[in-house]
Amino acid sequence: MPEFPEMENYRRMLSEQIIDHPISHVLVNREKSVNVPAEQFAKELAGQRVIFVERRGKHLIFHLNSGRRLLLHLMLGGMLYYGTEENRPSRNTQIEIEFGQKTLYFIGLRLGYLHLLSAKEVDEIFKPLGPDVFDRRMNRERFAELLKGRRGALKSLLVNQHVIAGIGNCYADEIAFEAGLLPSAQIQDLSAETIDRLYEAVVRVLTDALAHGGYMETPFMESDTLTGGFDEMCKVYDREGEKCSRCDGVIHKIELSGRKAFFCPSCQHEH
């Protein structure tokens, strides 16, 4: 599932490609991916321009010049491609939005969606969401405050969007590894110094992942050479059975609260 680095990567590239270009045509191939009848969705978007692309956690918000918003959540398996019919990935598209000669393809929205909403409706949806990973007001003190009084496994907390928005399975494992903590480490048992180390790991891992285009391998467009660069840099995620890059241990995989978790039992600890 796309997480903060992937969605921020998309936001930056979309901002360079589609801003202020009129929408010339809209095709909805899967009506369940939108929240209004397909004909209404296409009619409301025709002739509109995206004037700003915003990201909140794992969501993108397309601000239209009409004042309306398109709220995107790619969920599991979703991706974007911007280009032409000839060079797009050979996969089914659920929604296609044309900007003149090029089209923005929404692919793999089996669970994801693109909803047409008012600004107020979007604000209501985000009320339960925790602060963004790189909120301007986020710092080590606020991070520690978010964890204060919470209980349970580290991984479960990191992927809880009501606590911090933007982290999912992949980066939770990478952050735990960077901090030298087991995914099963109990939040309530961590010292102030360990929480400080955890915050530094969050910032370091996500900054590196964004700089290298995240872990999703399919490029956003034909000339895109950045997307997916972090995949080969993952230290533990999806590396079961491989040798640890930090010690002589071997990467293990367990199930933790219904989620897969990858870690090195030799150099990751409970505290």
Side-chain angles (χ1 to χ4, degrees):
M1 179 187 293
E3 304 176 34
F4 156 74
E6 290 73 37
M7 298 310 287
E8 179 63 17
N9 187 39
Y10 276 146
R11 186 198 68 79
R12 293 180 180 185
M13 291 188 292
L14 284 163
S15 298
E16 293 175 355
Q17 298 298 323
I18 68 170
I19 297 299
D20 281 332
H21 292 292
I23 295 172
S24 52
H25 183 68
V26 176
L27 177 64
V28 178
N29 293 319
R30 183 178 184 271
E31 195 147 348
K32 287 184 179 180
S33 297
V34 297
N35 61 324
V36 297
E39 187 177 340
Q40 179 188 341
F41 186 87
K43 186 176 180 181
E44 285 205 44
L45 290 187
Q48 291 293 307
R49 290 176 290 109
V50 176
I51 59 173
F52 179 60
V53 183
E54 179 186 1
R55 183 195 53 78
R56 280 292 312 275
K58 301 178 187 180
H59 301 78
L60 287 185
I61 309 156
F62 298 81
H63 294 239
L64 303 174
N65 63 301
S66 64
R68 301 276 275 167
R69 308 281 192 267
L70 285 172
L71 177 63
L72 173 68
H73 197 327
L74 290 173
M75 300 291 280
L76 187 65
M79 56 172 283
L80 300 176
Y81 188 83
Y82 182 70
T84 63
E85 183 70 23
E86 290 72 32
N87 58 27
R88 73 172 178 83
S90 181
R91 290 180 58 186
N92 291 335
T93 63
Q94 287 68 54
I95 305 166
E96 301 178 11
I97 300 179
E98 292 183 17
F99 296 87
Q101 299 300 311
K102 292 189 176 181
T103 300
L104 180 58
Y105 297 96
F106 296 79
I107 302 170
L109 298 187
R110 184 173 60 87
L111 299 173
Y113 56 82
L114 183 67
H115 286 180
L116 181 62
L117 302 165
S118 67
K120 185 177 181 181
E121 287 171 327
V122 170
D123 288 342
E124 284 296 316
I125 288 169
F126 285 139
K127 274 186 177 179
L129 203 65
D132 199 83
V133 172
F134 285 112
D135 188 296
R136 288 175 298 176
R137 295 162 292 180
M138 182 65 79
N139 53 35
R140 62 187 68 235
E141 290 76 25
R142 191 179 183 203
F143 181 79
E145 192 64 30
L146 290 171
L147 272 56
K148 192 175 181 180
R150 294 193 175 271
R151 304 180 66 83
L154 171 61
K155 175 153 188 173
S156 297
L157 178 128
L158 288 174
V159 300
N160 186 342
Q161 302 303 295
H162 295 153
V163 180
I164 305 169
I167 301 172
N169 281 325
C170 173
Y171 297 109
D173 287 348
E174 292 300 310
I175 289 165
F177 178 80
E178 183 70 21
L181 294 168
L182 289 168
S184 58
Q186 297 296 297
I187 290 297
Q188 66 270 22
D189 296 336
L190 301 184
S191 67
E193 291 76 18
T194 303
I195 289 173
D196 195 55
R197 188 171 85 235
L198 177 61
Y199 173 72
E200 291 176 356
V202 169
V203 173
R204 191 155 49 243
V205 167
L206 295 178
T207 299
D208 285 349
L210 177 59
H212 292 90
Y215 73 89
M216 287 176 59
E217 293 179 307
T218 305
F220 171 71
M221 56 187 181
E222 196 173 22
S223 60
D224 174 20
T225 58
L226 176 64
T227 297
F230 191 74
D231 183 54
E232 62 184 23
M233 299 173 66
C234 287
K235 307 289 178 53
V236 290
Y237 182 72
D238 212 17
R239 297 284 191 266
E240 182 185 14
E242 295 183 20
K243 186 176 179 180
C244 176
S245 61
R246 188 165 56 196
C247 72
D248 292 328
V250 175
I251 306 304
H252 285 212
K253 179 180 75 173
I254 60 170
E255 190 165 300
L256 189 64
S257 301
R259 296 173 181 270
K260 294 176 183 177
F262 298 87
F263 64 97
C264 174
S266 299
C267 64
Q268 289 177 251
H269 309 287
E270 291 287 351
H271 301 94

